[in-house]
Amino acid sequence: MTKAALAKIAEDPELPGDERGHAETAVTEDTAEALAYLVDPFDLVSEMPGVDLAQASWSSEEIDYDPDSPDWDIDEDDVDGDEESDGTAVAG
């Protein structure tokens, strides 16, 4: 990701030299900055009817990954809000 962001910076004809150096340092030191340089949030939603993006930001943090930990259940976020974790429907 960093290499792609650095290539995009190098190819940007509208980026002044002093800003180019700052951008190169930022994308090299922070993966979120590299992602932000490659993906424009406004482009992601610009053609969605009724959507006006007021603000966008990117952030990242390094964490320890333990694939055996129950905290890293891949399906954890796949549970619908109207279902219990065992798949049964919740009465409303």
Side-chain angles (χ1 to χ4, degrees):
M1 190 172 328
T2 300
K3 287 180 183 180
L6 289 171
K8 187 171 180 182
I9 291 168
E11 296 169 357
D12 189 345
E14 297 180 18
L15 192 60
D18 58 335
E19 289 182 30
R20 185 177 311 275
H22 176 71
E24 289 171 345
T25 300
V27 302
T28 302
E29 293 176 355
D30 187 356
T31 306
E33 288 291 334
L35 177 63
Y37 206 87
L38 294 170
V39 179
D40 183 354
F42 290 97
D43 288 345
L44 293 175
V45 298
S46 64
E47 295 186 25
M48 295 179 71
V51 175
D52 291 324
L53 184 60
Q55 181 180 355
S57 66
W58 299 97
S59 65
S60 68
E61 67 179 279
E62 290 190 26
I63 58 171
D64 292 327
Y65 173 65
D66 178 5
D68 297 324
S69 170
D71 294 336
W72 287 98
D73 183 11
I74 293 175
D75 297 326
E76 180 179 319
D77 293 333
D78 293 341
V79 176
D80 188 338
D82 291 352
E83 296 181 0
E84 293 289 339
S85 60
D86 65 358
T88 59
V90 177

